[in-house]
Amino acid sequence: MNHAPVVEKAQRAGSSYKSGKYKRYVWGFVFVIPAIIVFALFLWTPIVKGVIYSFYNIDFVKGNTFVGWANYEKALSDPYLLTAVKNTLYYMFLGVVMGFWVPCLFAIAISELRWFQGFARISAYLPNVVPLVVMYGLWRWFYDPVGPINGTLSQLGVEPIAFLTNPSWSMISIVFMETWQQFGSAMLIYLAGILSVPRDHYEAAEIDGAGVWHRIRYITLPSIKNLLILLFLLQIIATSQGFQTQQALLDGGPNNATLTFALLIIKYATMRLNYGVASALGVLMFLVLSIVAYIHFRLSNKEES
Amino acid sequence: MKARERGIMSRYDFKKRPVVFIYSLSVLMIVIMMFTMLYPIAYIFMNSLKPNPELFSFPPRFFPSEWVWDNYSKSWDYIPLTLFMRNTLLLFVGNMLSIMIITGPAAFGLSKMQVPGKRFIALFFLTTLLIPPTTYIIPNFINIKELGLLNSFWAFWLPAGANAFYLLLLKSFFDSIHHELFEAARIDGASELRCYFQIAFPLSVPIFATLAIFVFNTAWNEWFWPSMVMHSDDRYPLATAIYKYVIQARMMDWNQRFAILAMVTIPPIVIFLLFQKYIIRGLHLSAVKG
C-alpha cells in the first residue's frame, strides 16, 4: 500500500501550520458572527433597552422623552399592582398545591405497572400535544355554566358552579386545566429518573426488611430528589411569568381575579399603550425573578457535573 | 423461565394483603387518570360531529345522536384555514432554516473550531438563558417595531436563530463527535464549511430532528406573540387566527368551532405518534432548560 500522498499532504499542512491557524481563526469568526449579530439584535438589545425604556416616555410618533423615575413611581402606585402580585403568588401556590405532586405520584405508580405501561405513558402525555388554543376552546366549553361538568353536577343534585366567572373559582379552574395539559411531560421526566434507579437497591432493602413504603420513602424519593428540586424551580419560574391562559380565557377577569403580574405588563402595553411603565414593571419583575433563576442555574450546573 | 425484572415491589410483596390492596388502588388511580386524559380529547372529535343544540343538552351526552359531517365542510369555509396553515408552515420552515444556518454553525464553531475570545462569546450567548423572557417582552416588541419588522415573517425567522437553549443542545451534541474526524477532513483539504455541512450536519440529524419538533410545536402553538407582531390575515399563523376568529368569536356555532379545533388537533397528534422517540428525548433535554 502506498501512503505517500497522504503523508505529503500532512506535511504540507504542517509546514503552513501558522497561516492555517490564522485562517482557521478567520473561519471560526465567520461561523460565529451571524449568531452574535442576531443575539445582539434580538435578545441583548431588548434586554438592555428594557432598562433604558423604563426611564423614558415611549411615543412612537413624537419620539421618546426622558422622565426619570416617573415610570417606576407610576408602576408602584398602580392600584392593581398589589392585586397582580397577590394573584401571581396565588397562581404559583395553586400550581404547586394542585399540580406539583401529581406527576411524581403517577410516575411512581406507573413505574410499578406490569402491563400497558407504554399506553399509560402515551395517554398521560397526549394532552400536551393538544394545541393551546384547542385547549382553551375545549375547556371553555367544559366550564360553561350549562356545559357538561355542570350538567353532570346537577344530575347529581349539586348546585352548578360558575367555574370561570366566579372570582374564587376562576384561578383554580385555570390551574386545573393547565395541570391536565402539562402534567404528562413532568411525569415522563420523573419516570425516567425512577426507572434508572438500580433494582439491586430495592432487593437489598427488601432483604433487610424494608416495606414497600419505606423503599419508596428511602430509595425512590431520594434518588429523584434533584429532579424534584429542578422541576419545582422550573415550575416556579414558569408560573411566575404566566399570563397567556389568564389572558385567553378571562382577559384577567372576573373582577381582576386572574390578573397576574405579567398580564399587568401586557395590559399596560396593549390597552393603555404606556410602554414606559410596562418596561419598568418588566425590570421590577426581572429583579425578583433573577434570584430564582440564579438558584436554578447553580443547581442545573451541579446536575450536569 | 426468566423472572421478570423487579420494580420497587417484588413477587413476595404481592402475597401481602395490604400491599395488594394499595397496589390495586394505584392501578385504579392510573385508570382514572388515563380516562381524564383521553376523555376530553375524545370529546373534541365527538363535539365536532354533533348537531349544535346537543352540545349543551341535559343530561350531557358523549356520542352524537346523528353524525353531522357537514360541520367540517361548513367550518372549512368559515375562515381561510389553508392560508393560516401556510403561514404556520412558513414560520416553521424559516425558523428551522435560521437555526441550521445561524445557530448550528455558531455551536459548531464554539465546539470544534478556534474562535478568538471563545469563552466570552459563549457567555454572551448563554447568559440570555437566565433572563426570563416575559420581563422583556414589551421592549422586545418595541425593538421589533423600531427595526421595521412588524407584520413581517422576518420578525420570527431572524430571532429564531437567537436561541441559547438550542445553541446549547447543538453544542453539546457537536462536543460528542470525535475531534479526529474533522482533523482528518481538514488534512484532506476540506474547508470548514464542508466540515459543517457535509460531516457535522449529517451526523447530527437526531438532534436536529428533536429541534424540529420543538420548533414545530412553537409554531403550531404560539398565539400571543404573533398576535402582537402580525397585523393581517395573510400573516397570522394558525394558532393566532383560531384564537381571534374561533375562540373569541361571539356568534359561532359550537359544533363548528369544535370541527375547526379537531382539524387543528390532528396534525400534532399524528406527528407525536410517529416521532415519539424524538419527542421524549426532547422532553428530557428541556428539563435542563431555564
Side-chain angles (χ1 to χ4, degrees):
Chain A
M1 268 216 261
N2 187 4
H3 286 291
V6 180
V7 174
E8 201 183 307
K9 240 185 183 174
Q11 273 170 346
R12 240 192 293 141
S15 70
S16 61
Y17 181 71
K18 261 213 156 136
S19 71
K21 188 168 182 180
Y22 175 71
K23 214 171 116 193
R24 230 182 270 172
Y25 259 139
V26 174
W27 269 110
F29 211 64
V30 169
F31 266 58
V32 178
I33 205 79
I36 291 183
I37 293 172
V38 290
F39 269 80
L41 212 54
F42 293 104
L43 280 175
W44 284 110
T45 308
I47 289 167
V48 173
K49 271 194 179 167
V51 182
I52 299 171
Y53 287 146
S54 69
F55 294 104
Y56 278 83
N57 183 30
I58 311 290
D59 193 321
F60 291 128
V61 187
K62 286 184 238 157
N64 307 341
T65 43
F66 184 77
V67 291
W69 293 96
N71 285 334
Y72 286 94
E73 280 162 23
K74 194 156 183 227
L76 290 173
S77 62
D78 185 280
Y80 298 118
L81 183 76
L82 203 63
T83 323
V85 170
K86 265 190 213 156
N87 286 338
T88 309
L89 290 175
Y90 184 51
Y91 177 56
M92 291 160 77
F93 169 77
L94 281 180
V96 171
V97 171
M98 290 170 65
F100 180 67
W101 52 272
V102 181
C104 183
L105 180 77
F106 276 104
I108 292 175
I110 288 182
S111 79
E112 279 306 295
L113 218 54
R114 305 286 144 118
W115 304 279
F116 299 116
Q117 205 191 78
F119 186 60
R121 285 182 200 207
I122 288 180
S123 48
Y125 189 73
L126 211 56
N128 242 285
V129 183
V130 173
L132 286 176
V133 284
V134 175
M135 182 183 69
Y136 300 149
L138 176 68
W139 284 86
R140 206 179 248 194
W141 175 75
F142 270 124
Y143 284 150
D144 198 276
V146 288
I149 298 183
N150 275 321
T152 316
L153 284 180
S154 51
Q155 252 183 325
L156 298 169
V158 185
E159 281 284 296
I161 298 167
F163 287 102
L164 290 175
T165 44
N166 182 342
S168 48
W169 273 96
S170 47
M171 198 64 104
I172 296 174
S173 308
I174 283 179
V175 174
F176 182 79
M177 179 185 96
E178 289 190 333
T179 306
W180 175 78
Q181 201 200 23
Q182 291 162 0
F183 106 106
S185 60
M187 196 211 71
L188 290 185
I189 291 169
Y190 286 130
L191 193 58
I194 290 167
L195 290 177
S196 69
V197 177
R199 308 286 109 177
D200 315 351
H201 293 190
Y202 297 127
E203 192 84 53
E206 194 184 353
I207 291 167
D208 287 347
V212 176
W213 163 245
H214 279 107
R215 270 171 256 159
I216 294 175
R217 168 76 184 75
Y218 293 107
I219 300 175
T220 316
L221 287 180
S223 60
I224 57 167
K225 197 184 93 197
N226 283 341
L227 273 183
L228 279 166
I229 297 173
L230 205 64
L231 290 189
F232 180 79
L233 285 171
L234 276 182
Q235 184 180 337
I236 292 294
I237 293 171
T239 48
S240 59
Q241 301 178 68
F243 71 92
Q244 294 206 8
T245 319
Q246 286 83 350
Q247 155 89 16
L249 279 182
L250 292 158
D251 198 20
N255 199 12
N256 293 319
T258 56
L259 179 79
T260 60
F261 193 85
L263 190 53
L264 188 69
I265 297 182
I266 302 292
K267 295 229 154 191
Y268 255 106
T270 54
M271 314 281 288
R272 305 188 213 177
L273 301 177
N274 198 335
Y275 298 99
V277 178
S279 303
L281 284 168
V283 172
L284 291 177
M285 188 177 173
F286 169 73
L287 291 178
V288 177
L289 284 189
S290 54
I291 300 166
V292 187
Y294 178 73
I295 300 172
H296 167 244
F297 175 69
R298 288 293 296 273
L299 282 171
S300 59
N301 267 13
K302 225 191 263 168
E303 181 90 335
E304 269 160 40
S305 63
Chain B
M1 221 172 80
K2 195 170 164 266
R4 193 194 171 280
E5 205 187 350
R6 61 165 292 152
I8 298 171
M9 299 198 290
S10 67
R11 272 181 297 143
Y12 302 102
D13 288 320
F14 281 102
K15 289 184 180 136
K16 293 180 201 142
R17 272 269 171 99
V19 173
V20 172
F21 177 72
I22 289 177
Y23 184 75
S24 16
L25 217 63
S26 79
V27 170
L28 183 74
M29 191 179 77
I30 293 170
V31 172
I32 294 173
M33 179 276 287
M34 282 160 67
F35 183 74
T36 349
M37 295 291 126
L38 298 178
Y39 192 61
I41 297 177
Y43 248 128
I44 302 174
F45 297 99
M46 288 302 159
N47 282 349
S48 70
L49 293 168
K50 286 175 186 167
N52 195 40
E54 238 166 70
L55 270 87
F56 294 101
S57 66
F58 181 84
R61 52 184 304 151
F62 181 63
F63 288 106
S65 62
E66 49 170 329
W67 302 76
V68 192
W69 295 96
D70 238 19
N71 288 340
Y72 280 88
S73 56
K74 272 190 197 147
S75 61
W76 184 264
D77 298 329
Y78 183 77
I79 48 171
L81 277 174
T82 40
L83 175 69
F84 301 135
M85 190 94 77
R86 185 208 68 167
N87 294 340
T88 301
L89 291 180
L90 271 179
L91 284 182
F92 167 67
V93 172
N95 290 354
M96 209 53 219
L97 279 178
S98 170
I99 288 167
M100 286 193 260
I101 294 167
I102 298 172
T103 322
F108 184 72
L110 289 181
S111 168
K112 289 281 179 279
M113 290 163 81
Q114 278 150 341
V115 185
K118 202 183 221 173
R119 292 193 59 161
F120 177 75
I121 294 173
L123 215 61
F124 177 80
F125 289 146
L126 299 181
T127 343
T128 54
L129 271 180
L130 299 181
I131 301 165
T134 317
T135 59
Y136 58 88
I137 185 168
I138 299 305
N140 198 3
F141 171 74
I142 304 172
N143 186 43
I144 298 272
K145 192 177 169 101
E146 282 177 351
L147 290 169
L149 292 176
L150 278 193
N151 207 21
S152 146
F153 286 121
W154 291 104
F156 290 84
W157 292 338
L158 289 174
N163 189 317
F165 175 56
Y166 297 165
L167 186 111
L168 192 65
L169 292 185
L170 285 168
K171 184 181 172 295
S172 52
F173 193 89
F174 291 143
D175 283 342
S176 69
I177 303 177
H178 278 295
H179 225 298
E180 287 82 1
L181 203 60
F182 300 104
E183 288 302 321
R186 280 174 195 139
I187 287 167
D188 285 352
S191 70
E192 298 294 338
L193 276 177
R194 249 182 109 147
C195 280
Y196 173 67
F197 281 106
Q198 289 201 316
I199 302 174
F201 193 70
L203 283 174
S204 31
V205 166
I207 189 75
F208 275 107
T210 304
L211 288 188
I213 281 164
F214 279 137
V215 175
F216 177 81
N217 259 339
T218 322
W220 202 265
N221 267 308
E222 213 175 20
W223 61 274
F224 182 77
W225 183 238
S227 75
M228 271 189 96
V229 176
M230 303 300 209
H231 294 141
S232 63
D233 266 6
D234 58 344
R235 289 285 185 276
Y236 284 145
L238 206 52
T240 308
I242 285 177
Y243 176 71
K244 278 212 141 114
Y245 299 131
V246 179
I247 306 292
Q248 297 290 65
R250 300 213 177 270
M251 302 299 286
M252 193 178 181
D253 281 346
W254 271 95
N255 55 353
Q256 284 177 34
R257 280 186 217 222
F258 271 106
I260 290 183
L261 297 185
M263 285 191 269
V264 194
T265 316
I266 293 168
I269 286 185
V270 170
I271 287 176
F272 168 67
L273 295 177
L274 287 178
F275 299 106
Q276 268 184 64
K277 198 176 85 187
Y278 294 114
I279 293 173
I280 304 300
R281 186 206 323 243
L283 205 68
H284 294 299
L285 292 174
S286 62
V288 284
K289 181 185 177 187

